[in-house]
Amino acid sequence: MKKIFYVTTPLYYVNADPHIGHAYTQIATDALARYRKSLGEEVFFMTGTDEHGEKIEKASIESGLKKGDEKSFVDDIHKRFKDLWVRLDIRYDFFIRTTDKEHEDAVKHILDELNKKGDIYKKKYTGYFCTPCEMFWSKFQAKDGICPDCKRPLESIDENNYFFKLSKYQKWLIEYIEKNADFIKPSSRRNEVLGLLKHNELIDLCITRPKSRLGWGIEVPFDKDYVVYVWFDALINYISGAGYPHNMKKFKSLWPADVHIIGKDILRHHAIYWPIMLKALGINMPKTVFAHGWWVFKGEKMSKSKGNIVDPNYLLDTYGKDVFRYFLLSEIPFGVDGAFDEESIISRHDSDLANDLGNLLNRTLTMAEKYFKGEIPEKPDSDDNTEGGGNVKAAAGMLPEKIKTNMRELNFSGALASVWELINTANKYIEDSKPWTLFKEKKEDQLKWVIYNLIESLRMITIAISPFIPSTSQAMWKQLAFKEDLDSVPFQAITQWGLSKPGIKVNKEKPLFPRIRQK
Ligand code: ME8
């Protein structure tokens, strides 16, 4: 059976509306999924929402609903995520909700399995819980009753609970991470996890809450007085959504996941709890957990609970989806933090999109109209000795490998920068070859070469940007008037120079990115 490329995002909490941080993970994952599809691979891109737990129960009550009405609350909010994904052109293959029956059944099945195996036991829990982070902290970890992550006061807990034996697998996990360099990426995160595991003893994970404290969760199959801890429930989505255990044929074609894309805030859960859960179940590890950085706003992580979020719908209304997608993907390397400010969106728009990309398309099509009645010229028999023609072909020749190398490392900004190298070389080519002079001097063959080379560069650029800014790419394709459906054009098509068909009549429209600030 052919292995399908399986990529996931975190399941976002539905306690509030989606924000830029969520959009960021989503856009990056979408770009990766589209890129892998363009390589001809079958891809399964799964995303969804995390709908149980204390935080959501609290948000539901605060919204004015009664305790017990959480399902109608999550039914409403999860749609806002789906709506935003439509607006952002996110083309996922499956949307999982942790309130889906198949997922809930999988969680119960897994708990029964681990319980039978002896990896679950009951004992008194005395420690802390942080509702905004949905995290248990021991008295040792949070000495002063303050959450080590979000620095808010913790809730003190003294209750009987079920525990999962994390500590039993600590040695195995250290060895696994050491042997598998690609398991946690980037390497700074891998080192962080290894440091944590080597210098601290893992504490067994509390995986339940008594129903008397929390009603909104999946019932523990072997003890009806408890519900499952939200993280233990949510992590299971990566296998339940892939068919485990109800559709093992599907599961075998998907698992192991190729990459779980997450933010660095939830690294511990994905790089410690999750592999140990899988190991205890006898399931192979995902190939890679990639933790990207944070968007910070005025020096602090943008988050719902801190209330410093920028509404993605506002940015979409103001700048459009591709400006938003391009900004997030190009502004910072995937893996490091970035400061968000709206002025940077405007300057990226005006420089990269309006000045470089938009201008290249517009100038080229204007010249094709003026010199060749809008038709892509024939390649002349004479040699191409246009000034700068060799540079354009060289830049185009290097493009596929540069994109591949960057995308192997999920370096979206690097992949885009390599496309912009070609864009800039092509713009310089216009200056160097001076088509207006060639026209005046009636050097028709050379003029044909220039316009043909520019159209050919634009063909490659359009295909290359399609995973990142798909609607711009569609609009460019339409203006270039190529006949094939862009979605079915493979990445392979940029590995060959000279595929643009002469004679096609281009279809120039108004500029794609009019400048926001005038020069
Ligand atoms: O943690 N910058 O959900 P969540 C960049 N339900 N990315 C950010 C971000 C920021 N400022 N803020 C959020 C949960 N993100 C759990 C996950 S998975 C089984 C359960 C992104 O709604 C980033 O991907 O808090 C981060 O890891 C995720 O949203 C957290 O979303």
Side-chain angles (χ1 to χ4, degrees):
M1 195 188 290
K2 200 162 168 278
K3 168 78 175 73
I4 296 169
F5 184 85
Y6 177 29
V7 57
T8 65
T9 69
L11 298 197
Y12 309 111
Y13 287 127
V14 286
N15 59 318
D17 288 347
H19 62 76
I20 292 181
H22 301 127
Y24 181 51
T25 317
Q26 212 65 7
I27 290 168
T29 312
D30 182 63
L32 176 65
R34 285 172 183 266
Y35 166 72
R36 300 298 293 223
K37 280 177 194 162
S38 81
L39 292 181
E41 288 179 66
E42 198 177 334
V43 174
F44 187 69
F45 162 12
M46 189 172 80
T47 188
T49 39
D50 192 353
E51 304 191 353
H52 292 121
E54 207 157 318
K55 177 147 93 170
I56 288 160
E57 187 183 76
K58 193 164 163 262
S60 170
I61 291 167
E62 279 169 7
S63 80
L65 290 168
K66 289 199 302 291
K67 203 171 159 82
D69 282 347
E70 293 81 4
K71 183 65 169 56
S72 67
F73 177 74
V74 299
D75 281 350
D76 175 29
I77 308 262
H78 97 278
K79 283 199 213 112
R80 302 189 201 170
F81 283 82
K82 280 188 170 164
D83 290 347
L84 181 62
W85 305 156
V86 171
R87 292 199 71 191
L88 281 169
D89 264 347
I90 307 297
R91 210 185 265 172
Y92 53 80
D93 298 290
F94 185 55
F95 192 100
I96 185 169
R97 302 177 58 190
T98 54
T99 50
D100 289 343
K101 179 157 185 334
E102 275 171 351
H103 171 76
E104 295 197 346
D105 288 349
V107 172
K108 290 181 183 171
H109 169 86
I110 286 168
L111 274 169
D112 271 334
E113 289 294 300
L114 296 177
N115 195 32
K116 270 188 239 147
K117 233 191 126 192
D119 277 344
I120 290 177
Y121 64 94
K122 194 173 184 182
K123 75 161 188 187
K124 195 169 184 69
Y125 180 80
T126 36
Y128 295 115
F129 190 73
C130 176
T131 306
C133 299
E134 292 282 10
M135 272 298 277
F136 289 100
W137 295 105
S138 70
K139 295 234 150 121
F140 174 72
Q141 288 168 313
K143 290 190 189 76
D144 41 7
I146 298 292
C147 173
D149 276 356
C150 75
K151 316 284 179 229
R152 272 176 280 221
L154 293 161
E155 177 195 353
S156 187
I157 289 185
D158 194 351
E159 61 195 24
N160 282 323
N161 265 315
Y162 287 90
F163 286 76
F164 171 55
K165 290 185 184 166
L166 279 189
S167 53
K168 176 174 159 189
Y169 297 95
Q170 179 160 7
K171 192 165 164 288
W172 162 81
L173 184 58
I174 294 174
E175 281 168 14
Y176 187 83
I177 297 173
E178 279 180 333
K179 272 197 211 124
N180 295 276
D182 285 344
F183 182 51
I184 303 170
K185 283 183 157 180
S187 55
S188 53
R189 301 281 161 240
R190 176 172 182 262
N191 295 340
E192 185 183 317
V193 174
L194 275 175
L196 207 120
L197 285 168
K198 285 181 177 169
H199 299 114
N200 300 279
E201 239 175 77
L202 278 186
I203 303 169
D204 289 343
L205 183 67
C206 181
I207 55 163
T208 59
R209 299 304 307 276
K211 268 196 192 157
S212 54
R213 296 288 293 258
L214 172 68
W216 180 234
I218 300 175
E219 191 175 273
V220 173
F222 45 83
D223 192 336
K224 310 257 172 282
D225 291 336
Y226 288 86
V227 294
V228 181
Y229 166 47
V230 66
W231 266 104
F232 197 84
D233 155 2
L235 285 164
I236 289 171
N237 92 85
Y238 298 128
I239 52 175
S240 71
Y244 185 90
H246 54 279
N247 183 347
M248 289 306 280
K249 189 164 171 249
K250 176 179 171 191
F251 185 63
K252 283 195 184 112
S253 69
L254 291 170
W255 199 259
D258 289 84
V259 50
H260 292 318
I261 297 187
I262 58 166
K264 66 177 187 180
D265 46 327
I266 53 177
L267 179 64
R268 190 185 339 215
H269 313 73
H270 286 79
I272 298 179
Y273 305 167
W274 181 227
I276 292 183
M277 286 163 72
L278 289 168
K279 174 72 180 164
L281 286 165
I283 297 175
N284 288 338
M285 296 303 119
K287 289 186 196 159
T288 298
V289 172
F290 193 108
H292 64 67
W294 283 339
W295 284 98
V296 294
F297 190 67
K298 298 197 176 124
E300 276 205 279
K301 177 183 177 244
M302 211 183 280
S303 78
K304 289 173 281 200
S305 44
K306 287 203 179 112
N308 62 348
I309 61 164
V310 179
D311 178 5
N313 283 300
Y314 156 75
L315 294 173
L316 276 165
D317 293 340
T318 314
Y319 303 104
K321 57 188 159 192
D322 275 4
V323 178
F324 187 35
R325 285 178 70 114
Y326 178 75
F327 170 76
L328 292 181
L329 292 173
S330 63
E331 184 72 359
I332 49 166
F334 205 55
V336 303
D337 293 352
F340 181 85
D341 89 272
E342 209 174 325
E343 210 35 57
S344 312
I345 301 188
I346 298 174
S347 66
R348 284 240 163 226
H349 172 278
D350 282 355
S351 65
D352 302 9
L353 297 172
N355 231 23
D356 302 343
L357 178 63
N359 253 348
L360 176 64
L361 177 73
N362 211 257
R363 289 162 93 190
T364 303
L365 298 190
T366 303
M367 291 190 289
E369 281 186 344
K370 191 163 170 201
Y371 306 140
F372 297 106
K373 299 196 186 80
E375 280 185 13
I376 301 180
E378 293 283 345
K379 281 184 273 185
D381 292 332
S382 64
D383 284 348
D384 172 7
N385 45 30
T386 51
E387 174 95 33
N391 295 345
V392 174
K393 285 178 203 163
M398 285 185 290
L399 183 62
E401 212 36 59
K402 283 191 180 170
I403 295 181
K404 278 190 184 164
T405 311
N406 281 301
M407 289 304 279
R408 235 175 266 135
E409 295 303 318
L410 305 197
N411 184 355
F412 302 99
S413 57
L416 282 167
S418 59
V419 184
W420 255 255
E421 279 171 33
L422 175 58
I423 295 172
N424 294 334
T425 311
N427 271 324
K428 183 158 185 311
Y429 179 42
I430 300 179
E431 303 309 319
D432 290 345
S433 63
K434 301 188 181 53
W436 44 90
T437 310
L438 297 175
F439 180 69
K440 232 188 268 162
E441 294 173 357
K442 297 202 167 45
K443 293 185 174 158
E444 194 168 341
D445 275 9
Q446 296 304 300
L447 187 59
K448 279 185 179 168
W449 272 123
V450 174
I451 303 304
Y452 186 85
N453 291 342
L454 288 171
I455 297 270
E456 186 56 4
S457 307
L458 279 164
R459 180 185 68 83
M460 291 196 174
I461 291 161
T462 308
I463 297 169
I465 59 173
S466 78
F468 310 97
I469 41 175
S471 72
T472 298
S473 164
Q474 287 288 355
M476 289 177 64
W477 198 251
K478 198 167 147 246
Q479 294 197 37
L480 290 162
F482 293 124
K483 296 283 167 288
E484 307 92 321
D485 171 8
L486 179 59
D487 277 340
S488 64
V489 174
F491 180 82
Q492 191 64 17
I494 68 167
T495 58
Q496 221 182 320
W497 180 265
L499 296 183
S500 292
K501 297 235 168 42
I504 289 176
K505 202 159 169 35
V506 298
N507 186 16
K508 189 175 98 144
E509 289 177 22
K510 57 181 191 329
L512 286 178
F513 300 101
R515 288 182 67 90
I516 298 173
R517 301 236 193 285
Q518 296 317 312
K519 276 188 194 164

